[in-house]
Amino acid sequence: MGLTRFVANQAKATLKNPARIGMVFSPTGVRRLRAMVLNSFQLRNISNTWEQDGNLKNRRYNSYDQYLKHQRAKVETLDLGSYDEKYYAALTDRLKGIDPGTIPTTGSVLCLGARLGTEVRAFIDQGYFALGIDLNPGVNNQYVVTGDFHHLQFADSSVDLAFTNALDHVFDVEMVLAEISRVLKPGGTFIVEAVRGTDEGKEPESFASFWWKSVDDLVDFFSNRSFEATFRGRFAFPWGGYFLCFRLSKGTPKTMVSSDLIDDKR
């Protein structure tokens, strides 16, 4: 989100609810505004040139360090107060809507790009042992540690499930999948919440670094790299997209189950 849009949205929300004016000028609000100003200048140096590889594409960065700085900046611009509880409820519904037997009902979960840890809480409350990593987990985050999904700090074959809704923020998807394959136990599951692609009416936002034409392109890409697609569902919040489950295996891909998940009807 650009600075102009951010200020406009804040003004509109405050007009609807004048009580927000104290929040806007609170230390947190001022800190977010300062971050938006700084990031608006930084984004001027971020290329909007994309390198196409078939139906997938990557944003062109000058260096990996520039990519890291770009991605770390996003959390500073977000107001996750109301989002946190809404997303927690939506993800909980989605997890309950997965067909029985698709994923284990207990075990360890590694959440990638977990920001403040909403998805970690959702898994914990479903009975899992869960931990998140993020380039910028913020301060005093009890659910998320600093980490990079291109270079996971965890042991081989140590995780039952991996989860991410940040696939559109990877620098090198091959490296990320290799790391996920390494830390997943044999037969482990990778769960992806993927935003709609270009052919499905969605364009990359300002912090996106990896994109696809359609979700089928992602499914094909993963299926050619030892991941069996086992479940697909649609959802509407926090953005229209698809809930995908992949089992780590070198066997023949199974037929994917399709389902409209609960929160798609909200």
mmCIF file of all heavy atoms in Angstrom, residues 56-88:
data_model
loop_
_atom_site.group_PDB
_atom_site.id
_atom_site.type_symbol
_atom_site.label_atom_id
_atom_site.label_comp_id
_atom_site.label_asym_id
_atom_site.label_seq_id
_atom_site.Cartn_x
_atom_site.Cartn_y
_atom_site.Cartn_z
ATOM 1 N N LEU A 56 4.896 -18.460 -14.482
ATOM 2 C CA LEU A 56 5.342 -17.921 -13.206
ATOM 3 C C LEU A 56 6.295 -16.767 -13.468
ATOM 4 O O LEU A 56 6.942 -16.705 -14.510
ATOM 5 C CB LEU A 56 6.053 -19.006 -12.384
ATOM 6 C CG LEU A 56 5.285 -20.314 -12.162
ATOM 7 C CD1 LEU A 56 6.157 -21.312 -11.423
ATOM 8 C CD2 LEU A 56 3.989 -20.069 -11.413
ATOM 9 N N LYS A 57 6.384 -15.835 -12.501
ATOM 10 C CA LYS A 57 7.310 -14.728 -12.691
ATOM 11 C C LYS A 57 7.832 -14.240 -11.348
ATOM 12 O O LYS A 57 7.204 -14.430 -10.302
ATOM 13 C CB LYS A 57 6.651 -13.582 -13.456
ATOM 14 C CG LYS A 57 5.472 -12.909 -12.770
ATOM 15 C CD LYS A 57 4.903 -11.790 -13.658
ATOM 16 C CE LYS A 57 3.729 -11.077 -12.996
ATOM 17 N NZ LYS A 57 3.197 -9.985 -13.856
ATOM 18 N N ASN A 58 9.013 -13.606 -11.396
ATOM 19 C CA ASN A 58 9.674 -13.065 -10.209
ATOM 20 C C ASN A 58 9.999 -11.593 -10.401
ATOM 21 O O ASN A 58 10.407 -11.181 -11.491
ATOM 22 C CB ASN A 58 10.971 -13.814 -9.919
ATOM 23 C CG ASN A 58 10.735 -15.227 -9.450
ATOM 24 O OD1 ASN A 58 10.571 -16.141 -10.256
ATOM 25 N ND2 ASN A 58 10.708 -15.420 -8.145
ATOM 26 N N ARG A 59 9.850 -10.814 -9.325
ATOM 27 C CA ARG A 59 10.288 -9.427 -9.366
ATOM 28 C C ARG A 59 11.816 -9.393 -9.458
ATOM 29 O O ARG A 59 12.506 -10.184 -8.809
ATOM 30 C CB ARG A 59 9.835 -8.678 -8.107
ATOM 31 C CG ARG A 59 10.128 -7.175 -8.154
ATOM 32 C CD ARG A 59 9.817 -6.515 -6.813
ATOM 33 N NE ARG A 59 8.414 -6.574 -6.459
ATOM 34 C CZ ARG A 59 7.506 -5.664 -6.843
ATOM 35 N NH1 ARG A 59 7.870 -4.646 -7.596
ATOM 36 N NH2 ARG A 59 6.242 -5.772 -6.463
ATOM 37 N N ARG A 60 12.347 -8.492 -10.240
ATOM 38 C CA ARG A 60 13.795 -8.375 -10.392
ATOM 39 C C ARG A 60 14.344 -7.426 -9.329
ATOM 40 O O ARG A 60 13.981 -6.253 -9.272
ATOM 41 C CB ARG A 60 14.152 -7.846 -11.784
ATOM 42 C CG ARG A 60 15.663 -7.757 -12.047
ATOM 43 C CD ARG A 60 15.928 -7.167 -13.409
ATOM 44 N NE ARG A 60 15.409 -8.027 -14.470
ATOM 45 C CZ ARG A 60 15.319 -7.644 -15.747
ATOM 46 N NH1 ARG A 60 15.673 -6.417 -16.096
ATOM 47 N NH2 ARG A 60 14.846 -8.488 -16.651
ATOM 48 N N TYR A 61 15.201 -7.947 -8.464
ATOM 49 C CA TYR A 61 15.877 -7.149 -7.442
ATOM 50 C C TYR A 61 17.344 -6.965 -7.823
ATOM 51 O O TYR A 61 17.918 -7.802 -8.526
ATOM 52 C CB TYR A 61 15.802 -7.832 -6.073
ATOM 53 C CG TYR A 61 14.429 -7.838 -5.441
ATOM 54 C CD1 TYR A 61 13.572 -8.923 -5.606
ATOM 55 C CD2 TYR A 61 13.998 -6.763 -4.672
ATOM 56 C CE1 TYR A 61 12.312 -8.929 -5.015
ATOM 57 C CE2 TYR A 61 12.732 -6.763 -4.078
ATOM 58 C CZ TYR A 61 11.902 -7.846 -4.250
ATOM 59 O OH TYR A 61 10.656 -7.852 -3.670
ATOM 60 N N ASN A 62 17.943 -5.892 -7.323
ATOM 61 C CA ASN A 62 19.363 -5.670 -7.567
ATOM 62 C C ASN A 62 20.224 -6.677 -6.813
ATOM 63 O O ASN A 62 21.331 -7.006 -7.236
ATOM 64 C CB ASN A 62 19.773 -4.253 -7.156
ATOM 65 C CG ASN A 62 19.120 -3.188 -8.027
ATOM 66 O OD1 ASN A 62 18.825 -3.437 -9.197
ATOM 67 N ND2 ASN A 62 18.882 -2.017 -7.460
ATOM 68 N N SER A 63 19.700 -7.160 -5.668
ATOM 69 C CA SER A 63 20.446 -8.104 -4.844
ATOM 70 C C SER A 63 19.484 -8.795 -3.887
ATOM 71 O O SER A 63 18.345 -8.338 -3.686
ATOM 72 C CB SER A 63 21.534 -7.376 -4.039
ATOM 73 O OG SER A 63 20.941 -6.475 -3.106
ATOM 74 N N TYR A 64 19.952 -9.858 -3.259
ATOM 75 C CA TYR A 64 19.146 -10.543 -2.245
ATOM 76 C C TYR A 64 18.939 -9.644 -1.038
ATOM 77 O O TYR A 64 17.868 -9.662 -0.412
ATOM 78 C CB TYR A 64 19.832 -11.846 -1.822
ATOM 79 C CG TYR A 64 18.963 -12.736 -0.964
ATOM 80 C CD1 TYR A 64 17.816 -13.328 -1.495
ATOM 81 C CD2 TYR A 64 19.289 -12.993 0.362
ATOM 82 C CE1 TYR A 64 17.005 -14.142 -0.721
ATOM 83 C CE2 TYR A 64 18.487 -13.814 1.138
ATOM 84 C CZ TYR A 64 17.351 -14.386 0.595
ATOM 85 O OH TYR A 64 16.543 -15.184 1.364
ATOM 86 N N ASP A 65 19.941 -8.838 -0.724
ATOM 87 C CA ASP A 65 19.827 -7.908 0.400
ATOM 88 C C ASP A 65 18.706 -6.898 0.154
ATOM 89 O O ASP A 65 17.957 -6.552 1.071
ATOM 90 C CB ASP A 65 21.158 -7.183 0.621
ATOM 91 C CG ASP A 65 21.117 -6.283 1.846
ATOM 92 O OD1 ASP A 65 20.887 -6.799 2.954
ATOM 93 O OD2 ASP A 65 21.322 -5.058 1.694
ATOM 94 N N GLN A 66 18.561 -6.435 -1.074
ATOM 95 C CA GLN A 66 17.470 -5.508 -1.387
ATOM 96 C C GLN A 66 16.126 -6.198 -1.218
ATOM 97 O O GLN A 66 15.168 -5.604 -0.697
ATOM 98 C CB GLN A 66 17.610 -4.981 -2.816
ATOM 99 C CG GLN A 66 16.580 -3.903 -3.152
ATOM 100 C CD GLN A 66 16.590 -3.490 -4.608
ATOM 101 O OE1 GLN A 66 16.544 -4.337 -5.498
ATOM 102 N NE2 GLN A 66 16.648 -2.183 -4.862
ATOM 103 N N TYR A 67 16.041 -7.443 -1.641
ATOM 104 C CA TYR A 67 14.812 -8.224 -1.435
ATOM 105 C C TYR A 67 14.474 -8.314 0.050
ATOM 106 O O TYR A 67 13.327 -8.088 0.457
ATOM 107 C CB TYR A 67 14.979 -9.624 -2.030
ATOM 108 C CG TYR A 67 14.054 -10.653 -1.431
ATOM 109 C CD1 TYR A 67 12.721 -10.744 -1.827
ATOM 110 C CD2 TYR A 67 14.514 -11.552 -0.455
ATOM 111 C CE1 TYR A 67 11.871 -11.678 -1.265
ATOM 112 C CE2 TYR A 67 13.672 -12.490 0.104
ATOM 113 C CZ TYR A 67 12.351 -12.568 -0.295
ATOM 114 O OH TYR A 67 11.516 -13.485 0.270
ATOM 115 N N LEU A 68 15.463 -8.624 0.893
ATOM 116 C CA LEU A 68 15.232 -8.766 2.324
ATOM 117 C C LEU A 68 14.740 -7.460 2.941
ATOM 118 O O LEU A 68 13.792 -7.448 3.734
ATOM 119 C CB LEU A 68 16.506 -9.226 3.025
ATOM 120 C CG LEU A 68 16.980 -10.651 2.718
ATOM 121 C CD1 LEU A 68 18.319 -10.919 3.399
ATOM 122 C CD2 LEU A 68 15.951 -11.684 3.159
ATOM 123 N N LYS A 69 15.363 -6.351 2.585
ATOM 124 C CA LYS A 69 14.954 -5.053 3.120
ATOM 125 C C LYS A 69 13.521 -4.721 2.702
ATOM 126 O O LYS A 69 12.738 -4.191 3.493
ATOM 127 C CB LYS A 69 15.920 -3.968 2.649
ATOM 128 C CG LYS A 69 17.302 -4.044 3.289
ATOM 129 C CD LYS A 69 18.214 -2.951 2.761
ATOM 130 C CE LYS A 69 19.595 -3.026 3.417
ATOM 131 N NZ LYS A 69 20.524 -1.993 2.885
ATOM 132 N N HIS A 70 13.198 -5.031 1.462
ATOM 133 C CA HIS A 70 11.854 -4.768 0.944
ATOM 134 C C HIS A 70 10.811 -5.550 1.739
ATOM 135 O O HIS A 70 9.788 -5.002 2.190
ATOM 136 C CB HIS A 70 11.810 -5.151 -0.539
ATOM 137 C CG HIS A 70 10.526 -4.827 -1.221
ATOM 138 N ND1 HIS A 70 10.039 -5.563 -2.282
ATOM 139 C CD2 HIS A 70 9.603 -3.854 -0.999
ATOM 140 C CE1 HIS A 70 8.896 -5.048 -2.682
ATOM 141 N NE2 HIS A 70 8.601 -4.015 -1.928
ATOM 142 N N GLN A 71 11.060 -6.841 1.943
ATOM 143 C CA GLN A 71 10.093 -7.683 2.624
ATOM 144 C C GLN A 71 9.994 -7.378 4.127
ATOM 145 O O GLN A 71 8.907 -7.428 4.704
ATOM 146 C CB GLN A 71 10.433 -9.163 2.410
ATOM 147 C CG GLN A 71 10.375 -9.607 0.952
ATOM 148 C CD GLN A 71 9.019 -9.356 0.315
ATOM 149 O OE1 GLN A 71 7.982 -9.588 0.933
ATOM 150 N NE2 GLN A 71 9.010 -8.890 -0.925
ATOM 151 N N ARG A 72 11.115 -7.054 4.757
ATOM 152 C CA ARG A 72 11.083 -6.720 6.185
ATOM 153 C C ARG A 72 10.257 -5.471 6.451
ATOM 154 O O ARG A 72 9.693 -5.292 7.533
ATOM 155 C CB ARG A 72 12.513 -6.497 6.699
ATOM 156 C CG ARG A 72 13.329 -7.761 6.874
ATOM 157 C CD ARG A 72 14.648 -7.457 7.551
ATOM 158 N NE ARG A 72 15.486 -8.634 7.673
ATOM 159 C CZ ARG A 72 16.652 -8.798 7.073
ATOM 160 N NH1 ARG A 72 17.150 -7.837 6.303
ATOM 161 N NH2 ARG A 72 17.354 -9.902 7.241
ATOM 162 N N ALA A 73 10.176 -4.583 5.460
ATOM 163 C CA ALA A 73 9.500 -3.305 5.655
ATOM 164 C C ALA A 73 7.985 -3.447 5.741
ATOM 165 O O ALA A 73 7.310 -2.598 6.330
ATOM 166 C CB ALA A 73 9.861 -2.347 4.525
ATOM 167 N N LYS A 74 7.425 -4.526 5.202
ATOM 168 C CA LYS A 74 5.968 -4.598 5.070
ATOM 169 C C LYS A 74 5.254 -4.579 6.416
ATOM 170 O O LYS A 74 4.262 -3.872 6.586
ATOM 171 C CB LYS A 74 5.565 -5.851 4.289
ATOM 172 C CG LYS A 74 4.047 -5.941 4.097
ATOM 173 C CD LYS A 74 3.623 -7.067 3.189
ATOM 174 C CE LYS A 74 2.111 -7.032 2.996
ATOM 175 N NZ LYS A 74 1.631 -8.071 2.063
ATOM 176 N N VAL A 75 5.747 -5.357 7.383
ATOM 177 C CA VAL A 75 5.029 -5.482 8.649
ATOM 178 C C VAL A 75 4.926 -4.145 9.372
ATOM 179 O O VAL A 75 3.982 -3.903 10.129
ATOM 180 C CB VAL A 75 5.692 -6.541 9.554
ATOM 181 C CG1 VAL A 75 7.000 -6.050 10.127
ATOM 182 C CG2 VAL A 75 4.736 -6.973 10.673
ATOM 183 N N GLU A 76 5.886 -3.248 9.132
ATOM 184 C CA GLU A 76 5.864 -1.949 9.802
ATOM 185 C C GLU A 76 4.716 -1.072 9.318
ATOM 186 O O GLU A 76 4.342 -0.106 9.977
ATOM 187 C CB GLU A 76 7.194 -1.218 9.557
ATOM 188 C CG GLU A 76 8.423 -1.988 10.021
ATOM 189 C CD GLU A 76 8.474 -2.167 11.523
ATOM 190 O OE1 GLU A 76 7.778 -1.416 12.231
ATOM 191 O OE2 GLU A 76 9.195 -3.067 11.996
ATOM 192 N N THR A 77 4.159 -1.400 8.150
ATOM 193 C CA THR A 77 3.104 -0.563 7.565
ATOM 194 C C THR A 77 1.703 -1.104 7.843
ATOM 195 O O THR A 77 0.722 -0.494 7.441
ATOM 196 C CB THR A 77 3.292 -0.464 6.042
ATOM 197 O OG1 THR A 77 3.019 -1.737 5.441
ATOM 198 C CG2 THR A 77 4.706 -0.039 5.687
ATOM 199 N N LEU A 78 1.614 -2.250 8.511
ATOM 200 C CA LEU A 78 0.325 -2.916 8.650
ATOM 201 C C LEU A 78 -0.360 -2.600 9.975
ATOM 202 O O LEU A 78 0.287 -2.510 11.010
ATOM 203 C CB LEU A 78 0.518 -4.432 8.542
ATOM 204 C CG LEU A 78 1.111 -4.942 7.228
ATOM 205 C CD1 LEU A 78 1.350 -6.442 7.316
ATOM 206 C CD2 LEU A 78 0.212 -4.613 6.055
ATOM 207 N N ASP A 79 -1.670 -2.473 9.913
ATOM 208 C CA ASP A 79 -2.502 -2.363 11.105
ATOM 209 C C ASP A 79 -3.208 -3.705 11.253
ATOM 210 O O ASP A 79 -4.205 -3.984 10.585
ATOM 211 C CB ASP A 79 -3.509 -1.228 10.939
ATOM 212 C CG ASP A 79 -4.414 -1.078 12.170
ATOM 213 O OD1 ASP A 79 -4.219 -1.833 13.140
ATOM 214 O OD2 ASP A 79 -5.294 -0.207 12.139
ATOM 215 N N LEU A 80 -2.681 -4.575 12.128
ATOM 216 C CA LEU A 80 -3.168 -5.947 12.209
ATOM 217 C C LEU A 80 -4.110 -6.170 13.387
ATOM 218 O O LEU A 80 -4.404 -7.313 13.729
ATOM 219 C CB LEU A 80 -1.972 -6.910 12.305
ATOM 220 C CG LEU A 80 -1.036 -6.907 11.088
ATOM 221 C CD1 LEU A 80 0.166 -7.806 11.347
ATOM 222 C CD2 LEU A 80 -1.770 -7.352 9.835
ATOM 223 N N GLY A 81 -4.573 -5.090 14.005
ATOM 224 C CA GLY A 81 -5.424 -5.227 15.180
ATOM 225 C C GLY A 81 -6.685 -6.029 14.922
ATOM 226 O O GLY A 81 -6.897 -7.088 15.511
ATOM 227 N N SER A 82 -7.567 -5.552 14.053
ATOM 228 C CA SER A 82 -8.808 -6.261 13.779
ATOM 229 C C SER A 82 -8.572 -7.473 12.888
ATOM 230 O O SER A 82 -9.279 -8.485 12.983
ATOM 231 C CB SER A 82 -9.825 -5.319 13.117
ATOM 232 O OG SER A 82 -9.322 -4.824 11.891
ATOM 233 N N TYR A 83 -7.562 -7.385 12.019
ATOM 234 C CA TYR A 83 -7.245 -8.493 11.116
ATOM 235 C C TYR A 83 -6.921 -9.751 11.895
ATOM 236 O O TYR A 83 -7.317 -10.859 11.518
ATOM 237 C CB TYR A 83 -6.058 -8.101 10.231
ATOM 238 C CG TYR A 83 -5.384 -9.258 9.523
ATOM 239 C CD1 TYR A 83 -5.819 -9.677 8.272
ATOM 240 C CD2 TYR A 83 -4.311 -9.925 10.108
ATOM 241 C CE1 TYR A 83 -5.205 -10.726 7.619
ATOM 242 C CE2 TYR A 83 -3.686 -10.980 9.472
ATOM 243 C CZ TYR A 83 -4.134 -11.374 8.228
ATOM 244 O OH TYR A 83 -3.526 -12.430 7.598
ATOM 245 N N ASP A 84 -6.199 -9.617 12.996
ATOM 246 C CA ASP A 84 -5.701 -10.765 13.750
ATOM 247 C C ASP A 84 -6.827 -11.721 14.128
ATOM 248 O O ASP A 84 -6.766 -12.916 13.832
ATOM 249 C CB ASP A 84 -4.966 -10.279 15.001
ATOM 250 C CG ASP A 84 -4.334 -11.407 15.799
ATOM 251 O OD1 ASP A 84 -3.363 -11.987 15.294
ATOM 252 O OD2 ASP A 84 -4.811 -11.691 16.898
ATOM 253 N N GLU A 85 -7.867 -11.215 14.751
ATOM 254 C CA GLU A 85 -8.957 -12.078 15.199
ATOM 255 C C GLU A 85 -9.798 -12.597 14.035
ATOM 256 O O GLU A 85 -10.262 -13.746 14.043
ATOM 257 C CB GLU A 85 -9.834 -11.353 16.215
ATOM 258 C CG GLU A 85 -9.123 -11.089 17.540
ATOM 259 C CD GLU A 85 -8.509 -12.347 18.138
ATOM 260 O OE1 GLU A 85 -9.182 -13.415 18.125
ATOM 261 O OE2 GLU A 85 -7.357 -12.280 18.606
ATOM 262 N N LYS A 86 -10.004 -11.764 13.018
ATOM 263 C CA LYS A 86 -10.780 -12.206 11.856
ATOM 264 C C LYS A 86 -10.063 -13.328 11.119
ATOM 265 O O LYS A 86 -10.677 -14.319 10.706
ATOM 266 C CB LYS A 86 -11.042 -11.031 10.909
ATOM 267 C CG LYS A 86 -12.013 -9.999 11.445
ATOM 268 C CD LYS A 86 -12.195 -8.868 10.449
ATOM 269 C CE LYS A 86 -13.159 -7.805 10.969
ATOM 270 N NZ LYS A 86 -13.308 -6.669 10.014
ATOM 271 N N TYR A 87 -8.748 -13.165 10.931
ATOM 272 C CA TYR A 87 -8.002 -14.197 10.219
ATOM 273 C C TYR A 87 -7.904 -15.464 11.057
ATOM 274 O O TYR A 87 -7.972 -16.580 10.527
ATOM 275 C CB TYR A 87 -6.609 -13.698 9.834
ATOM 276 C CG TYR A 87 -5.802 -14.744 9.093
ATOM 277 C CD1 TYR A 87 -6.289 -15.320 7.915
ATOM 278 C CD2 TYR A 87 -4.568 -15.189 9.582
ATOM 279 C CE1 TYR A 87 -5.585 -16.287 7.248
ATOM 280 C CE2 TYR A 87 -3.855 -16.159 8.912
ATOM 281 C CZ TYR A 87 -4.368 -16.710 7.753
ATOM 282 O OH TYR A 87 -3.667 -17.687 7.092
ATOM 283 N N TYR A 88 -7.737 -15.317 12.356
ATOM 284 C CA TYR A 88 -7.714 -16.483 13.254
ATOM 285 C C TYR A 88 -8.991 -17.306 13.069
ATOM 286 O O TYR A 88 -8.938 -18.534 12.917
ATOM 287 C CB TYR A 88 -7.578 -16.019 14.708
ATOM 288 C CG TYR A 88 -7.755 -17.117 15.720
ATOM 289 C CD1 TYR A 88 -6.675 -17.901 16.133
ATOM 290 C CD2 TYR A 88 -9.016 -17.393 16.263
ATOM 291 C CE1 TYR A 88 -6.854 -18.928 17.060
ATOM 292 C CE2 TYR A 88 -9.194 -18.408 17.180
ATOM 293 C CZ TYR A 88 -8.110 -19.172 17.580
ATOM 294 O OH TYR A 88 -8.296 -20.190 18.476
#
